[in-house]
Short mmCIF file of all heavy atoms in Angstrom, two decimals:
data_model
loop_
_atom_site.label_atom_id
_atom_site.label_comp_id
_atom_site.label_asym_id
_atom_site.label_seq_id
_atom_site.Cartn_x
_atom_site.Cartn_y
_atom_site.Cartn_z
N LYS A 9 0.60 2.17 -0.91
CA LYS A 9 1.30 3.45 -0.93
C LYS A 9 0.57 4.38 0.03
O LYS A 9 -0.60 4.70 -0.18
CB LYS A 9 1.29 4.05 -2.34
CG LYS A 9 1.98 3.19 -3.38
CD LYS A 9 1.68 3.73 -4.77
CE LYS A 9 2.20 2.78 -5.84
NZ LYS A 9 1.72 3.13 -7.18
N ASN A 10 1.25 4.80 1.07
CA ASN A 10 0.64 5.67 2.05
C ASN A 10 0.87 7.13 1.70
O ASN A 10 1.96 7.51 1.26
CB ASN A 10 1.20 5.39 3.44
CG ASN A 10 0.66 4.10 4.01
OD1 ASN A 10 -0.48 3.73 3.76
ND2 ASN A 10 1.48 3.41 4.79
N ILE A 11 -0.16 7.93 1.90
CA ILE A 11 -0.08 9.37 1.73
C ILE A 11 -0.25 9.99 3.10
O ILE A 11 -1.21 9.68 3.81
CB ILE A 11 -1.18 9.89 0.78
CG1 ILE A 11 -1.05 9.23 -0.60
CG2 ILE A 11 -1.14 11.41 0.67
CD1 ILE A 11 -2.28 9.41 -1.49
N VAL A 12 0.69 10.84 3.50
CA VAL A 12 0.59 11.57 4.76
C VAL A 12 0.42 13.04 4.42
O VAL A 12 1.22 13.60 3.66
CB VAL A 12 1.84 11.35 5.64
CG1 VAL A 12 1.79 12.23 6.88
CG2 VAL A 12 1.95 9.88 6.05
N ILE A 13 -0.62 13.65 4.95
CA ILE A 13 -0.92 15.05 4.65
C ILE A 13 -0.65 15.90 5.88
O ILE A 13 -1.09 15.56 6.99
CB ILE A 13 -2.39 15.21 4.20
CG1 ILE A 13 -2.67 14.31 2.98
CG2 ILE A 13 -2.69 16.67 3.86
CD1 ILE A 13 -4.11 14.36 2.47
N LEU A 14 0.06 17.00 5.68
CA LEU A 14 0.38 17.93 6.77
C LEU A 14 -0.46 19.19 6.61
O LEU A 14 -0.51 19.78 5.53
CB LEU A 14 1.87 18.30 6.74
CG LEU A 14 2.88 17.15 6.67
CD1 LEU A 14 4.30 17.69 6.77
CD2 LEU A 14 2.64 16.11 7.75
N ILE A 15 -1.12 19.58 7.70
CA ILE A 15 -2.00 20.77 7.69
C ILE A 15 -1.71 21.65 8.89
O ILE A 15 -1.11 21.21 9.87
CB ILE A 15 -3.50 20.37 7.69
CG1 ILE A 15 -3.88 19.67 9.00
CG2 ILE A 15 -3.84 19.50 6.49
CD1 ILE A 15 -5.37 19.46 9.19
N SER A 16 -2.19 22.89 8.81
CA SER A 16 -2.14 23.80 9.96
C SER A 16 -3.49 24.40 10.29
O SER A 16 -3.66 25.02 11.33
CB SER A 16 -1.15 24.95 9.71
OG SER A 16 0.17 24.47 9.65
N GLY A 17 -4.47 24.25 9.39
CA GLY A 17 -5.76 24.92 9.59
C GLY A 17 -6.94 24.07 9.21
O GLY A 17 -7.04 22.90 9.58
N SER A 18 -7.83 24.66 8.41
CA SER A 18 -9.10 24.00 8.08
C SER A 18 -8.93 22.75 7.22
O SER A 18 -9.79 21.88 7.20
CB SER A 18 -10.04 24.98 7.37
OG SER A 18 -9.51 25.32 6.10
N GLY A 19 -7.83 22.68 6.48
CA GLY A 19 -7.56 21.49 5.69
C GLY A 19 -8.47 21.29 4.50
O GLY A 19 -8.78 20.16 4.14
N SER A 20 -8.88 22.38 3.84
CA SER A 20 -9.81 22.20 2.71
C SER A 20 -9.15 21.44 1.56
O SER A 20 -9.81 20.63 0.90
CB SER A 20 -10.38 23.54 2.26
OG SER A 20 -9.40 24.32 1.61
N ASN A 21 -7.87 21.68 1.30
CA ASN A 21 -7.19 20.91 0.26
C ASN A 21 -7.04 19.45 0.67
O ASN A 21 -7.19 18.55 -0.15
CB ASN A 21 -5.83 21.52 -0.07
CG ASN A 21 -5.92 22.55 -1.17
OD1 ASN A 21 -6.48 22.32 -2.22
ND2 ASN A 21 -5.37 23.73 -0.92
#
Side-chain angles (χ1 to χ4, degrees):
K9 299 169 188 169
N10 286 327
I11 300 166
V12 174
I13 303 178
L14 309 185
I15 65 170
S16 292
S18 67
S20 71
N21 270 309

